[in-house]
């Protein structure tokens, strides 16, 4: 497989197959791991980085999880492909395009590993719906196999040693992307999110740290990684998510009983605009697709959710340019985005 | 014919058959006429009003123009039907629902006469497109016939005597409803309209005196009626309109060459919203229909103009209620309006 094959292929986490996928877009676990007695990437010299990469590369290449996978050497990546991988949630925007850094992606983009980002290894499992436990089982098994092959830096007191102290302990971050339009429209979100924060939970918008929640999609993840076991964190997150889903479901019921007409009106207008617009900015597209998503979730409109999941990602700036096959000005992107959305909605139309 | 038959029937002036109907919605001429030696309606006693009506009624009833017509006694009219006739441009909002006042409407709503409104007779001819001269030929012929039968108050110096001095002379108002989105969007309208005003021309919005131009539709009419002949007024108006149409056509060409993409985007979005909305206020509907009209005029979208003309009128508050057959709250109207527009656009769809 080549990187460009991803453009036309749908990632597993977009397939809307996971449990509770009417509310939970995706579940993700990542582990920060480092090799023993070697500097963390930010402090490492170039030759150390190359040494680290050389040690890890053969192990990953022969691992069965990456049999039909893709290996991307970051130094060879152009900036459009970098942005594309960021939008795909496969790399961080900070991941440098320099020697000694490579990304490996498994089938369906479920497993991926960044080598020499902030830590020597950043292992990620990303799946559709609420399935943190399954993500954990998979990543744990991979973690053990890699530990055996490479040997990770571990301290009896501090747990896994990581570049940033906030990752000490398990080195694990478990996160879930949820769609909370019910809580957002009824404004209860302003009560719920601070309550989560008090429990040590971190809440971010769709595009990760610092970004605002666009299209009412929130990334919810565990804060502390030290002093808790991995299974404990996963269980805690799953229980909190079940509660949060309960709140969102209640909010949606209330919304339907109190404001059904206005929600219907909003949903159908969003559909009409997406079906017909000739220019569509990224921001407007995210917001209209969120409204359409709500419409599907509330059975107001009959469309495949996969279509919305796909459009959420395909309409992002780098994706649009990869689809068209060249670099585009913002205005050209808005035009291409509008056309893409029109074409897909026409194809997926079953109303 | 009954009044309710008008609800489902399309008036002639909405049929988009007249010359230049891509820019000119309708042409209208009205004459103010009064009987000799009888008080004008506002000063007349009830018995005088009845006497006037009794003298006029049989003449109009046997006139061939009203053979399949409708005679509406204003005292029997409920307020919804009054509003309906106002929206239909057949009566003024000030026309009182009292004894001695009646309206007579000819086939296709081309000719109509209000008896005992501000003057004893207000004769109107309303047609599609730019055809002031034809309107004048028709109204002039009717005027002569009625003058012969009834005898109108006329003074050698002042011309036709009318209740309001601004109508002295010919008692004629010639007006044209034009759609000027090109001049409006390019903001040239702010130069053109004051220039017309300086020439003694009166410019008003869609709903007559004092109202703002909604949906970029402007009513342009002659100011002075004294000191000029009827044919002279008509010729002057037609020549001004031809000039104005030229300006509008140039503005549209400029618009297409400079802002085609943005106009296309606006037109298609308006179509998408009209096709899908579940609530539609009167104001939003007027504005979106105007955008759609421009889209048809500029060949951006392929729809029948008749459909837009019809919707312009059918979506007005009283029309909506007449169609549904009962009085509705504003919210119910917005809902019914959205449904009507959706249904009609689906039926008239040929894109």
């Amino acid at each position: 497989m080549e990187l460009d094959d991803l453009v036309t292929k749908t990632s597993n986490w977009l397939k809307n197959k996971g449990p509770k996928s009417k509310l939970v877009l995706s579940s993700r676990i990542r582990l920060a791991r480092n090799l023993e007695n070697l500097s963390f990437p930010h402090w490492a010299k170039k030759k150390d980085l190359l040494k680290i990469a050389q040690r890890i590369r053969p192990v990953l290449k022969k691992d069965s999880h990456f049999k039909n996978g893709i290996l991307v050497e970051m130094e060879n990546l152009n900036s459009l492909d970098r942005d594309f991988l960021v939008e795909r949630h496969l790399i961080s925007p900070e991941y440098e395009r320099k020697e000694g850094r490579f990304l490996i992606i498994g089938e369906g983009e479920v497993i991926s590993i960044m080598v020499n980002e902030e830590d020597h290894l950043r292992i990620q499992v990303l799946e559709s719906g609420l399935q943190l436990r399954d993500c954990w089982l998979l990543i744990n098994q991979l973690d053990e196999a890699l530990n055996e092959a490479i040997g990770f830096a571990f301290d009896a007191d501090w747990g896994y040693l990581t570049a940033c102290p906030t990752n000490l302990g398990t080195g694990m971050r478990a996160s879930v992307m949820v769609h909370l339009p019910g809580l957002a429209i009824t404004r209860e979100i302003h009560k719920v999110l601070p309550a989560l924060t008090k429990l040590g939970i971190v809440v971010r918008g769709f595009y990760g740290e610092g970004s605002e929640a666009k299209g009412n999609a929130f990334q919810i993840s565990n804060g502390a990684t030290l002093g808790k076991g991995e299974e404990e964190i996963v269980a805690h997150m799953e229980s909190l998510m079940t509660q949060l889903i309960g709140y969102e479901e209640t909010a949606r019921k209330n919304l339907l009983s109190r404001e059904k007409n206005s929600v219907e009106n909003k949903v159908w207008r969003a559909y009409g605009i997406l079906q017909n617009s000739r220019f569509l900015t990224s921001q407007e597209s995210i917001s209209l697709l969120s409204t359409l998503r709500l419409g599907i979730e509330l059975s107001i409109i009959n469309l495949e959710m996969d279509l919305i999941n796909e459009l959420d990602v395909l309409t992002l700036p780098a994706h649009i340019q990869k689809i068209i096959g060249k670099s585009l000005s913002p205005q050209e992107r808005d035009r291409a985005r509008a056309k893409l959305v029109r074409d897909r909605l026409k194809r997926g139309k079953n109303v």
Side-chain angles (χ1 to χ4, degrees), chain A:
Chain A
M1 286 251 298
E2 302 268 315
L3 184 56
D4 281 354
D5 295 334
L6 296 185
V7 179
T8 51
K9 259 198 124 181
T10 309
S11 339
N12 267 28
W13 65 279
L14 288 173
K15 281 186 180 158
N16 202 51
K17 294 247 159 67
K20 290 281 178 192
S21 54
K22 268 206 165 190
L23 295 100
V24 180
L25 298 153
S26 61
S27 295
R28 171 179 176 262
I29 293 189
R30 73 110 174 97
L31 299 176
R33 294 290 183 260
N34 289 279
L35 275 55
E36 286 170 333
N37 305 319
L38 283 161
S39 305
F40 296 127
H42 287 324
W43 288 272
K45 297 203 172 90
K46 188 171 143 187
K47 71 172 174 43
D48 289 332
L49 288 172
L50 290 172
K51 199 164 104 188
I52 294 160
Q54 271 158 25
R55 259 177 67 185
I56 299 172
R57 195 180 285 106
V59 177
L60 297 184
K61 269 187 156 175
K62 72 175 184 215
D63 188 292
S64 63
H65 293 103
F66 301 106
K67 213 169 70 183
N68 290 312
I70 302 167
L71 195 148
V72 182
E73 296 289 349
M74 289 302 287
E75 62 179 316
N76 301 332
L77 205 66
N78 63 39
S79 70
L80 177 58
D81 283 337
R82 191 258 321 271
D83 295 346
F84 171 73
L85 289 171
V86 170
E87 290 175 358
R88 207 75 172 196
H89 295 279
L90 290 169
I91 64 169
S92 64
E94 296 77 25
Y95 197 20
E96 292 186 275
R97 288 181 289 151
K98 286 184 180 164
E99 276 178 286
R101 291 161 179 90
F102 71 88
L103 164 75
I104 191 159
I105 309 162
E107 188 114 40
E109 298 163 55
V110 177
I111 303 179
S112 60
I113 300 179
M114 286 187 284
V115 172
N116 283 328
E117 198 245 18
E118 189 179 293
D119 296 287
H120 296 156
L121 291 107
R122 283 279 177 121
I123 311 167
Q124 165 174 290
V125 167
L126 181 57
E127 264 291 12
S128 158
L130 181 60
Q131 44 178 329
L132 279 176
R133 208 182 143 68
D134 287 347
C135 288
W136 183 72
L137 290 173
L138 179 56
I139 209 165
N140 190 43
Q141 172 214 0
L142 179 63
D143 184 30
E144 281 175 7
L146 294 179
N147 192 18
E148 214 156 287
I150 308 170
F152 293 143
F154 186 83
D155 179 279
D157 288 330
W158 295 106
Y160 288 100
L161 301 180
T162 54
C164 178
T166 58
N167 286 318
L168 284 171
T170 59
M172 181 172 95
R173 176 139 293 157
S175 64
V176 165
M177 187 71 75
V178 271
H179 189 226
L180 304 176
L183 291 170
I185 296 172
T186 60
R187 299 185 161 274
E188 285 169 58
I189 197 99
H190 300 304
K191 279 184 264 168
V192 173
L193 295 189
L196 282 173
T197 309
K198 273 189 196 155
L199 291 168
I201 296 299
V202 178
V203 181
R204 301 192 191 96
F206 194 91
Y207 296 105
E209 212 145 349
S211 70
E212 294 247 329
K214 284 179 190 164
N216 298 321
F218 297 86
Q219 195 197 73
I220 315 255
S221 58
N222 64 309
T225 61
L226 186 64
K228 275 185 191 165
E230 293 169 345
E231 286 202 73
E232 200 186 337
I233 294 173
V234 168
H236 183 58
M237 280 293 291
E238 288 232 323
S239 122
L240 279 179
M241 288 312 300
T242 308
Q243 247 182 292
L244 184 61
I245 288 172
Y247 293 149
E248 173 65 16
E249 279 170 343
T250 307
R252 288 181 186 187
K253 258 182 221 144
N254 290 340
L255 195 64
L256 265 192
S257 73
R258 273 179 283 176
E259 296 175 59
K260 190 174 184 206
N261 288 338
S262 115
V263 175
E264 273 183 1
N265 191 37
K266 239 183 121 184
V267 166
W268 282 103
R269 281 169 178 242
Y271 183 58
I273 294 171
L274 288 169
Q275 255 190 330
N276 287 284
S277 76
R278 261 55 184 169
F279 282 88
L280 202 53
T281 65
S282 186
Q283 190 136 358
E284 193 185 8
S285 157
I286 290 169
S287 157
L288 292 170
L289 287 169
S290 160
T291 305
L292 213 49
R293 179 182 296 280
L294 178 68
I296 300 171
E297 289 163 350
L298 296 179
S299 303
I300 289 170
I301 191 168
N302 181 19
L303 286 169
E304 292 292 324
M305 190 64 93
D306 297 38
L307 186 65
I308 309 302
N309 287 344
E310 252 189 60
L311 284 176
D312 264 342
V313 173
L314 295 181
T315 52
L316 294 172
H319 270 75
I320 286 288
Q321 294 174 84
K322 289 293 287 180
I323 292 166
I324 300 294
K326 62 175 182 186
S327 162
L328 300 173
S329 72
Q331 229 209 348
E332 288 169 331
R333 288 205 298 265
D334 290 350
R335 193 180 181 81
R337 181 178 295 112
K339 179 154 172 37
L340 177 88
V341 171
R342 288 203 312 277
D343 291 348
R344 295 268 164 158
L345 283 181
K346 210 173 279 174
R347 221 193 290 165
K349 197 175 175 180
N350 55 353
V351 281

